[in-house]
Amino acid sequence: MENIVVLGSTGSIGKSSLDILSRTNRYKLIGISFNKNIKEALKQIEKFSPKYVCAGEDADISNLKAKYKNIVFLKGKQGLIELSSIEEADIYINALVGTYGLIPSHTILKNKKKLALANKESLVVAGKVIKDAADENNLEIIPIDSEHSAIYQCLENRDKKLVSSIILTASGGPFLNRKTFDNIKAKDALKHPTWSMGKKVTIDSSTMMNKGFEIIEARWLFDIPYEKIKVIIHKESIIHSAVEFVDGSIIAQLAAHDMRIPISYALTKPKRMELEFKIDLSQIGTLHFEKPDFKRFPTLELAYTSLKDENKNLGLVLNATDEIAVEYFLKNKIEFSDIFIILEQAFVKFEDDLSSNIFEIDKETERIKKEIVHLIEKDFIGG
Ligand code: MN
């Protein structure tokens, strides 16, 4: 039995992870972290009896503390670092949302623990530094993102030198065929055609920033030059991604839209767990593929450009800017198309060298987020 810690256990991926853990006795859940959802955390504590529980800075956990005397309670950013440094842990699932996941990912790898990564920000913001930490300790980062899990499965036991390209599929989001981006409200963007996910990633899917982030993620996970990473629109999202080899053969992974499949694979690979989420290809009929529109969705180009000079902080800038812009859009304070404008402005304005120190990178992220708040308040909301 291996000891596992799930960071971000009350989010969408976190809950799916715990569901998978409840189906196997290969793992003992020894730690969880949550931000504010005490009700869900309480259910999880009752069910799994973890030894360590880390709560968000603003969560009031006095009742939890009184009730569970044997649990070690941790708090906030510092608590997450402590939770990422548990001696008896064997493997971590990092399902934190946003740049909060950055330092934990780095800490886990530095401590030579296995990392199953759902937090794509870790690689988008600090891909080079995170990859170095993994390489130093001879660790591979196990992807949980559905596309990257697909690629990982397609690459298994195959010679990476024979790969001619990685094909990331994208549903295209709810606005793929919409004529203009005018008058889009947050609630429209939150209606994803195929996947049910957290709010931030759903908005990122509608702008295709999510796919942009996944290009960056793929670059670091599979150590492949960005020129070899391609994006294709595939609205059914049945093929989760594919790999093309030098002889022209394409190997793809097809599955239902359920994150429990990539999560279970990350935990059992190369073995597989019996799961009930099957697809019936005869019911699906036809699959469609088309080229993405780089003009309508400039987020893709920004992602590729950010990889041209890996010593620069452009992934960091994209990510920090997007986090704030999406926050403002969700509050209906800015227009949908403003997200693109803000990203493009920040990209030029905040370009700098990337630090090799994860704490400095984290600080820089916070600094840029503040700058973006200023920029939006000043130029985008009648200030
Ligand atoms: Mn994905």
Side-chain angles (χ1 to χ4, degrees), residues 120 144-148 169 195 197 201 210-211 214 217 259:
K120 60 188 70 177
I144 283 184
D145 206 343
S146 64
E147 293 80 356
H148 303 79
T169 55
W195 287 93
M197 307 171 287
V201 59
N210 184 55
K211 207 52 55 182
E214 290 181 350
E217 212 184 340
M259 285 308 291

Side-chain angles (χ1 to χ4, degrees), residues 146-305:
S146 64
E147 293 80 356
H148 303 79
S149 173
I151 296 160
Y152 188 76
Q153 294 179 51
C154 297
L155 285 173
E156 188 150 55
N157 295 324
R158 292 193 172 88
D159 186 349
K160 258 192 354 205
K161 286 195 283 296
L162 300 177
V163 170
S164 61
S165 67
I166 275 178
I167 304 166
L168 277 173
T169 55
S171 71
F175 308 133
L176 180 62
N177 298 313
R178 191 178 162 124
K179 284 209 179 71
T180 80
F181 289 147
D182 294 345
N183 301 315
I184 293 175
K185 293 276 168 269
K187 64 172 182 351
D188 307 318
L190 286 171
K191 281 185 209 131
H192 194 272
T194 47
W195 287 93
S196 142
M197 307 171 287
K199 277 186 184 174
K200 163 76 166 50
V201 59
T202 306
I203 301 298
D204 282 345
S205 294
S206 73
T207 60
M208 293 200 71
M209 189 68 261
N210 184 55
K211 207 52 55 182
F213 289 156
E214 290 181 350
I215 295 168
I216 303 173
E217 212 184 340
R219 150 70 189 99
W220 297 110
L221 279 171
F222 306 112
D223 199 13
I224 191 161
Y226 69 90
E227 293 94 335
K228 287 190 172 184
I229 305 169
K230 305 206 165 111
V231 173
I232 190 161
I233 304 287
H234 165 45
K235 62 184 180 201
E236 291 89 2
S237 305
I238 293 295
I239 293 182
H240 293 300
S241 277
V243 176
E244 185 191 58
F245 293 87
V246 288
D247 64 350
S249 294
I250 294 177
I251 295 182
Q253 186 252 2
L254 291 72
H257 307 134
D258 198 301
M259 285 308 291
R260 284 172 287 188
I261 299 170
I263 292 165
S264 71
Y265 192 73
L267 296 177
T268 60
K269 59 152 194 102
K271 291 189 180 144
R272 289 176 190 269
M273 188 184 272
E274 179 81 40
L275 293 172
E276 68 275 27
F277 321 114
K278 305 284 198 278
I279 46 168
D280 178 352
L281 289 176
S282 71
Q283 293 294 313
I284 292 158
T286 313
L287 297 179
H288 295 84
F289 305 96
E290 58 184 290
K291 267 192 185 159
D293 187 338
F294 282 75
K295 286 226 163 63
R296 292 184 69 229
F297 295 98
T299 37
L300 294 174
E301 195 62 57
L302 290 175
Y304 281 115
T305 309

